[in-house]
Amino acid sequence: MLRVGESRPRASEKEWCELIRAIARGDQLALHALYARTHRLVFTLSMRITSNRATAEELTLDVFHDVWRRASAYDPANGSVVGWIMNQARSRAIDRLRFEQRLKRTNDQPGDPAQSTASDGPQEAFALKEQGRLLRHALQGLTSDERHAIETAFFSELTHHETAVRLNQPVGTVKTRIRSGLAKLRQMLAGALKGL
């Protein structure tokens, strides 16, 4: 449990920003200092969202790994350092929760595609496999920004705003990339899927 009245004095936002700049330069001691000051907050939030200690511990490490990788992308104009870290923790925890719920729903459904493929016969199995191949091929026809925005939004079931936060991009940019990418996918897949 977090102790409200810890003896360590509260750091100013300037000190937090200095830590992030040091991490962006590859300073591992700065990462350790940031971790020491904030890991309990990240763990507590992850625990509240997932209700699973092992998952919360894993997510806490993931968040600080992301901080290490993305420190140079931090922009003080978008909010405080602690807010930035907590936003990453919240997004990761919600993603994990949604993933596990989706997994549970998929495994609980009697019409599991993996099971029906075997009983439907080789033609249906081939058609499903071919559809997957066509989709993967069509995704390669998108720009990397479009593909990344679509994969982040749809595979993680995020809103446009959540996707923008995750990608550290303006919402308008994310919406445009998703819209243009989906239009390209529709165009590329329209003719190809008719033959299946």
Side-chain angles (χ1 to χ4, degrees):
M1 182 152 184
L2 293 176
R3 286 173 281 149
V4 177
E6 289 186 347
S7 59
R8 183 188 300 130
R10 296 189 70 160
S12 69
E13 190 58 30
K14 182 181 176 188
E15 291 172 301
W16 289 114
C17 289
E18 286 172 4
L19 277 176
I20 290 294
R21 282 193 291 272
I23 292 168
R25 293 190 303 268
D27 186 339
Q28 293 180 6
L29 291 176
L31 179 66
H32 178 73
L34 185 72
Y35 178 86
R37 293 180 182 185
T38 58
H39 77 278
R40 285 192 208 123
L41 291 170
V42 171
F43 173 79
T44 302
L45 178 63
S46 300
M47 185 70 187
R48 281 186 186 150
I49 293 171
T50 64
S51 300
N52 182 304
R53 184 175 186 84
T55 300
E57 288 171 353
E58 181 185 333
L59 290 171
T60 300
L61 292 177
D62 288 347
V63 165
F64 286 96
H65 182 256
D66 274 355
V67 167
W68 176 255
R69 284 183 24 249
R70 299 179 56 217
S72 60
Y74 170 72
D75 182 359
N78 291 332
S80 70
V81 169
V82 173
W84 178 65
I85 293 169
M86 297 305 286
N87 193 38
Q88 290 182 66
R90 179 184 168 277
S91 291
R92 278 192 166 273
I94 289 171
D95 284 351
R96 176 63 68 89
L97 202 58
R98 286 175 175 164
F99 173 76
E100 288 173 359
Q101 288 169 348
R102 244 188 350 264
L103 199 60
K104 197 179 289 185
R105 279 196 313 264
T106 303
N107 291 337
D108 290 346
Q109 291 176 353
D112 186 4
Q115 294 171 348
S116 63
T117 299
S119 62
D120 288 343
Q123 289 177 326
E124 288 82 0
F126 174 77
L128 280 174
K129 197 171 191 176
E130 184 64 10
Q131 286 174 0
R133 187 191 66 77
L134 289 171
L135 180 58
R136 285 188 298 279
H137 179 71
L139 282 168
Q140 296 305 313
L142 304 179
T143 68
S144 62
D145 287 335
E146 289 169 337
R147 186 171 54 252
H148 196 52
I150 287 172
E151 288 173 347
T152 302
F154 292 99
F155 295 154
S156 299
E157 294 184 357
L158 300 177
T159 65
H160 287 142
H161 179 74
E162 290 169 331
T163 303
V165 169
R166 171 74 57 83
L167 298 177
N168 200 19
Q169 297 285 331
V171 177
T173 301
V174 167
K175 284 182 178 180
T176 300
R177 288 176 179 163
I178 290 173
R179 197 176 311 121
S180 67
L182 289 176
K184 287 179 186 176
L185 283 176
R186 272 192 293 276
Q187 188 177 7
M188 287 186 272
L189 293 173
L193 290 176
K194 281 181 186 173
L196 290 179

